[in-house]
Amino acid sequence: MMRNWLRFPRPGDPRLAVAGILAAYVLLGITLLGFNRGPAQVLVTVGAAVLLDMVLHRLLRGGQPLFPLSAVITGLSLSIIVNYAHGLAFALVPVFLAIGSKYVFTFRGRNLYNPALFAVAASLLLADGMISDSPAYQWGGTYAAVAFVVTLGLFLFVLRVRRGVLIASFLLFYFAALAVRAWIMRWHMPFETWFMGALSSPAFFLFAFFMITDPQTSPDSRRGQVLMAFGIVAVDFLLHLKFALSTHFFAAFICGTLRLVWLHGRAMLEGWNAIAARLRYAAPRWALVGVLASAGLAVHQGITAGEGDEDVGFRFVEIEAEATGITGRPGAVLEEVDPRIRHIAKWVLSVGDAVAVADVDGDGLQDLFFTYPLKDARDRAALYRNRGNFRFERVPLPALDRYADPRTHGLPSGALFLDYDNDGDQDLLVLTGWGRPVLLRNRLVEDGRLAFEDVTHELGLDAYTISVTANALDLDRDGRLDIVIGNAMSPQLLAYSPPRPFNVFKLPAAESAGDRRMFDFMHRTWHDAANGGGVMLFLRRGPRFERQDERAFGIADRRWTIAIGAGDLDGDGWPDLYLANDFGPDQLLLNRGGKHFEAVRGRVPGSMGRDTYKGMNATLADFDGDGRLDIYVSNVHETLQAEGSLLWMNKGGKGAAGWRDEAVGRNALNERRFGWGAAAGDLDRDGRIDIVQANGMVDNAYDPIHSGCPDYWYWNDKIALTHPDVHGMADRWADLRGRCIFPREMDRVYLNRGNRFVDVATRVGWTRPGNSRGIALVDLDNDGTLDAVVTHQFAPASIYRNEAAPRGWLGLALEGNGKSCNRDAIGTRVTLRAAGLPGEQLREVHAANGFSAQGDRRLLFGLGAAQGPAEVTIHWCGAPDAQNLSLAAGRYHTIRQR
C-alpha cells in the first residue's frame, strides 16, 4: 500500500539513473572539483524543491501524494548549475521558479519547460543580478569531468529515454555553428580556444544530455527532435552574434516559449469554451504562485534594502585637483609591454594604483604617497606633504626616478610606511611589479630635515617581485617590525628549467619552432590557482631583514596573493595573517608563538579557507562590537560570477567553525560590482565601524581604439571555459585593447546600523562612477572626521573631505617604546568606554588594512551624543599589563608607552 500511496517509481524508471548521476556529480564537485556549493545549500535546495513540489501537487492537482523524484532531480540540477553568494537566502529563488513553472506553464497537464532550465533563465532575467549560472571553473573544467558526464549520460540515461536523435542532431548543429563562429571571430581569439572551451565545459554537456532531453519537455518524434535541436542552435548562434552570455539556456528558453505560445494559440482557435476552460484551469495556479512570489519578493527586498530615510550625518565633498595640487597624468606604459602579449597588457597591468598615508615630516598632518603604474613617468611614484586645508606639495624622491624605465626596473605597485628602525620617523617601502622593491630610510630624526636614502640592498630586501601588497607586523614579538610581501603572479617563468625571471616588458625569445614557454604565466585554474607568487617573509635580524623559509613557517603556497591583512584574530596576543588570493581560496594563518603559522581550512565550500575564489581585499575590524576582529573581503559579483564579498564574523570558536560569512545577512555583499579595495572606519562617529568599497575593472581611457567601449566579458567567458593549457597561456587570450570590463562603476559607502549595513554612497556625495582600486580613510585636517583618498587605475586620485554633523569623538596617536613594542605600536589594542555608549569599542593598530591602500594609523573613536571623558585601556604590543587612562573627548591624544 505504501508503494501505491506514494507512487514509488518503477525499477526501470530512467529518472533513477539521472538522480544518481547528478548526486554523484554534486558529491564529486563538493569534494574534488572546486564546486562552489556547500552541503547545507544543496540540502536546502533539494529539500525545498521536494517540499514545494509536493505541496503544489496536493493543492493544485490533488489525488495521490506525489513521490518527488523529479523534484530531487531538479534540486540537484540547480545545485550544480546556479551560482549565488554563500548563504541560504538566494537558494530558494531558483527552486521556486523551477517548481512553479511545472504548474503554471503547462499544456494539457504537461509542463512545457524543463524546470531547471526555466529556473536558470528566469533567475538570470528576474533576480536583478543576484544569481548567475555557474561558471565552468567552479566545476573543474577538465576532460575527466566531461568524460564522466558524457559516459554516464549515454549509457545510463540517453539510451533509455529515446532521445539519441535529439542529442546527435544538437551536437552536429552546434559544432557546425561553433566552427562558423570561430571563423567569423578568428581575429579576436585563436580557433582552438572556441572548441576547447566547449569540449571542457561540463555545463554544455549537462545542458545537452540532461536538460533538452527531458522526456516531459522534448518531442517524441524524430522529426520533432531534429527541429528542436536546430531551433536551439539557431537561436544560440544569433545570441552569440550579439555577444550574449548564457546563450544555451536562453536559446532553449526562447524555443520553449515559442512552443508554448504556438500550442496555446492554436488551442484557443477552438472557441470561447476552450479559452474559458484554460482560464479556469490556470487561474488558481497563477494566483497561488503569485502569492508565493510576492512573499518571496518581500523577503528579497528586506535582505537587499536600499538606503532608507534615516539620517546619514555626514557628506563627502570632493576637492578638485587644482586645489589639492595632486596630479596623475596619463602614460603610455601599455605600449611598452612586450609586443607578443600587448593584447592582454591591460588585464595584467590592471592593478597597482595605490596610496599610503603617514606623517613623514612630523608636523602633525598626514602626508600621502601614490604609486601610479600606468601614469606618466613624472607621476609614477609621488610623495606629497600635507600643507593644511587639503593643499599638498610634491616632495622630490630621486631614488625613485628609476621607475621611469619600467623595462629595467619594473613599475611601482604599492607602498607601505613603517618605522622599521624604531627611530621615530616614517620610512617608506615601495612595492614593485617586475622589479625589486625599494626601502627608503627617512633621515628626519638623524638630519633634522626630511630626506630619504635607499637602504634596500644593505637591509636584504632586494628580492625580485611582482607585488601589489605588503604588511608589517611584529611576528615574533621582539619589538621590531617584520615584513610580509605578497606576490600576485609568479616572479619566475616556471616552464623553464631552471625558472627565469618574468618580465612583462621583455619575454624570452623562442628557442625553437613552437616554443611558447614564455607565455605560460596566467593563472592555471580559475578557482584553485597554485602557480602565483605567494608570500615572502622577512624577519628583522640584527641590522638586516632576513628572508625566511616560508615552507618552514607554513606559508609556502604559491597563491595569487593581492592583499594581506595582519592582526590578532584569535586573541592570543600574537599577530595572525589573512591572505586574500585571486583565482583561489583565501588563507587564514594563525601565528603559533612566532615560530610558524597554522592554516585554518574548513571541510566544505563556503567555510573559512574554502571561499569563493576571488579575494581582492582584506580589512580587519570589529564590525559587531563583540571585542573580536572580523574580516571583510571584497570580491567580484557580476554576470557569470555572482559571488560577492565575504564578511567573516569572528564567533570566537576554534578552527573554521569559529568563522561565519554573513555578507548576505548583513547586506555587505557589494552586489553587481567588480570589487577591489576597501577600508573600515567610523565615518559618522556613532561608535560603529563602517565600510567603504572601491569598484570597477577596466575602461578604454588609455586605449580608445573602438567607438564606445565594447564589452570584453563575453570573451573572458569563452576563455574561462577552456582547459588550463589554453587559458594558462597569455597568447591564447582574446584582445582586450580598446575594450572594457565592467567599467565606471559606483563605489559604495556602507554605514553600519548594528546588525546590517546600508549603502549610502549617493546620499553622501559619491555619485561619480569610475575604476577605483584603493581607498584610504585618513583625517587630513585633524578635525576628528575621516576623509577619504580613492585611487583610480585610469584616472587621477580623488580626495574627499568629510563634512560631518557635530558628534563626540576621541583620537589616539600611539607610540611604542621601541623595545618591547615597536615605535609604530602596530599590534596594540585599545578598548574605549564612555557614559552614554553601550558596551566597548575595540581598535587595533595596523600597518595596512586593505588592498592598495594604507590608511591613517591613528585610532579614531566615535562617541555619538556622548561628550566624554572616555575611559581607555591600552594593551601595548609585547607588554603584559594594560594601561588605563581617562581622556577628554574632541581631540587627538599622543600616548607614549611607559
Side-chain angles (χ1 to χ4, degrees), residues 415-577:
L416 181 71
F417 284 110
L418 72 161
D419 185 1
Y420 83 89
D421 52 1
N422 281 333
D423 68 349
D425 55 26
Q426 291 297 296
D427 311 303
L428 175 61
L429 175 66
V430 182
L431 304 176
T432 304
W434 297 281
R436 303 179 186 280
V438 180
L439 182 60
L440 300 180
R441 183 185 182 190
N442 192 340
R443 301 287 304 178
L444 180 65
V445 170
E446 290 80 2
D447 302 337
R449 61 182 179 83
L450 182 64
F452 290 87
E453 63 174 332
D454 185 351
V455 293
T456 312
H457 179 71
E458 65 186 75
L459 290 180
L461 286 172
D462 51 352
Y464 190 79
T465 61
I466 304 177
S467 175
V468 293
T469 184
N471 217 328
L473 67 162
D474 186 0
L475 186 149
D476 50 5
R477 299 202 309 191
D478 66 351
R480 297 176 298 179
L481 288 175
D482 310 301
I483 295 174
V484 182
I485 297 177
N487 288 291
M489 310 178 84
S490 172
Q492 308 294 322
L493 290 171
L494 303 176
Y496 291 90
S497 183
R500 302 181 184 181
F502 172 31
N503 188 342
V504 73
F505 300 101
K506 188 178 181 181
L507 295 177
E511 297 177 0
S512 61
D515 182 10
R516 297 171 55 231
R517 291 173 294 172
M518 69 291 297
F519 302 124
D520 188 6
F521 56 81
M522 303 299 282
H523 45 91
R524 296 291 294 180
T525 79
W526 295 77
H527 73 285
D528 196 20
N531 66 324
V535 297
M536 298 174 173
L537 176 60
F538 296 88
L539 296 186
R540 188 72 189 278
R541 293 288 186 259
R544 291 171 53 86
F545 287 94
E546 293 183 2
R547 183 173 177 183
Q548 304 301 298
D549 180 356
E550 287 85 16
R551 187 175 301 278
F553 270 85
I555 54 174
D557 288 357
R558 300 183 66 86
R559 298 295 181 182
W560 290 60
T561 303
I562 64 173
I564 299 174
D568 185 4
L569 293 167
D570 57 0
D572 66 351
W574 295 87
D576 310 303
L577 294 175

Side-chain angles (χ1 to χ4, degrees), residues 583-596:
F583 309 115
D586 294 347
Q587 298 162 271
L588 172 58
L589 303 167
L590 300 181
N591 187 343
R592 296 311 185 204
K595 303 297 183 182
H596 67 94

Side-chain angles (χ1 to χ4, degrees), residues 142-210:
T142 64
Y143 293 114
V146 171
F148 175 78
V149 175
V150 173
T151 302
L152 290 179
L154 284 172
F155 288 97
L156 297 180
F157 175 47
V158 175
L159 299 181
R160 295 192 177 200
V161 298
R162 301 186 182 92
R163 293 301 185 271
V165 172
L166 175 58
I167 293 176
S169 55
F170 173 76
L171 293 178
L172 177 64
F173 294 144
Y174 180 78
F175 283 106
L178 180 60
V180 174
R181 278 195 284 123
W183 183 83
I184 293 174
M185 302 178 184
R186 63 191 181 279
W187 305 113
H188 301 286
M189 199 161 59
F191 191 81
E192 62 267 29
T193 301
W194 292 93
F195 281 89
M196 292 290 288
L199 290 171
S200 62
S201 169
F204 171 74
F205 283 98
L206 287 173
F207 173 84
F209 286 97
F210 301 130

Side-chain angles (χ1 to χ4, degrees), residues 167-507:
I167 293 176
S169 55
F170 173 76
L171 293 178
L172 177 64
F173 294 144
Y174 180 78
F175 283 106
L178 180 60
V180 174
R181 278 195 284 123
W183 183 83
I184 293 174
M185 302 178 184
R186 63 191 181 279
W187 305 113
H188 301 286
M189 199 161 59
F191 191 81
E192 62 267 29
T193 301
W194 292 93
F195 281 89
M196 292 290 288
L199 290 171
S200 62
S201 169
F204 171 74
F205 283 98
L206 287 173
F207 173 84
F209 286 97
F210 301 130
M211 278 191 166
I212 64 174
T213 57
D214 184 352
Q216 287 290 321
T217 59
S218 60
D220 293 321
S221 68
R222 292 187 176 184
R223 179 175 179 273
Q225 292 178 27
V226 173
L227 289 175
M228 177 180 177
F230 180 80
I232 292 175
V233 171
V235 176
D236 178 84
F237 184 83
L238 294 175
L239 292 174
H240 274 290
L241 294 181
K242 295 294 184 181
F243 303 107
L245 300 169
S246 308
T247 55
H248 293 140
F249 303 115
F250 285 130
F253 178 77
I254 291 171
C255 291
T257 302
L258 293 174
R259 181 169 174 246
L260 180 146
V261 172
W262 165 256
L263 290 174
H264 280 285
R266 186 178 62 179
M268 287 182 179
L269 296 178
E270 298 174 4
W272 170 249
N273 290 335
I275 296 175
R278 277 171 169 72
L279 291 175
R280 287 194 300 270
Y281 178 84
R285 286 160 171 74
W286 283 94
L288 178 59
V289 172
V291 170
L292 294 175
S294 299
L297 182 61
V299 173
H300 169 73
Q301 290 176 340
I303 294 174
T304 59
E307 298 179 357
D309 298 325
E310 53 197 314
D311 179 44
V312 174
F314 73 101
R315 183 173 179 82
F316 280 129
V317 177
E318 185 171 6
I319 310 298
E320 297 298 328
E322 291 78 9
T324 65
I326 296 174
T327 60
R329 290 160 286 194
V333 174
L334 294 175
E335 296 302 315
E336 298 185 56
V337 171
D338 190 297
R340 291 170 289 175
I341 55 171
R342 204 166 286 168
H343 66 290
I344 199 65
K346 196 162 60 174
W347 179 287
V348 177
L349 300 178
S350 62
V351 292
D353 223 82
V355 60
V357 173
D359 179 7
V360 297
D361 54 4
D363 66 352
L365 294 173
Q366 301 297 302
D367 308 302
L368 304 176
F369 179 83
F370 293 95
T371 60
Y372 292 135
L374 298 186
K375 306 297 195 298
D376 186 87
R378 295 167 293 176
D379 302 326
R380 207 160 285 162
L383 174 64
Y384 290 90
R385 296 175 72 175
N386 187 343
R387 290 309 195 185
N389 198 29
F390 291 87
R391 292 181 297 105
F392 296 86
E393 176 185 81
R394 179 78 176 267
V395 177
L397 292 177
L400 300 183
D401 290 345
R402 68 182 69 182
Y403 288 124
D405 180 12
R407 296 174 183 271
T408 304
H409 297 287
L411 292 169
S413 54
L416 181 71
F417 284 110
L418 72 161
D419 185 1
Y420 83 89
D421 52 1
N422 281 333
D423 68 349
D425 55 26
Q426 291 297 296
D427 311 303
L428 175 61
L429 175 66
V430 182
L431 304 176
T432 304
W434 297 281
R436 303 179 186 280
V438 180
L439 182 60
L440 300 180
R441 183 185 182 190
N442 192 340
R443 301 287 304 178
L444 180 65
V445 170
E446 290 80 2
D447 302 337
R449 61 182 179 83
L450 182 64
F452 290 87
E453 63 174 332
D454 185 351
V455 293
T456 312
H457 179 71
E458 65 186 75
L459 290 180
L461 286 172
D462 51 352
Y464 190 79
T465 61
I466 304 177
S467 175
V468 293
T469 184
N471 217 328
L473 67 162
D474 186 0
L475 186 149
D476 50 5
R477 299 202 309 191
D478 66 351
R480 297 176 298 179
L481 288 175
D482 310 301
I483 295 174
V484 182
I485 297 177
N487 288 291
M489 310 178 84
S490 172
Q492 308 294 322
L493 290 171
L494 303 176
Y496 291 90
S497 183
R500 302 181 184 181
F502 172 31
N503 188 342
V504 73
F505 300 101
K506 188 178 181 181
L507 295 177

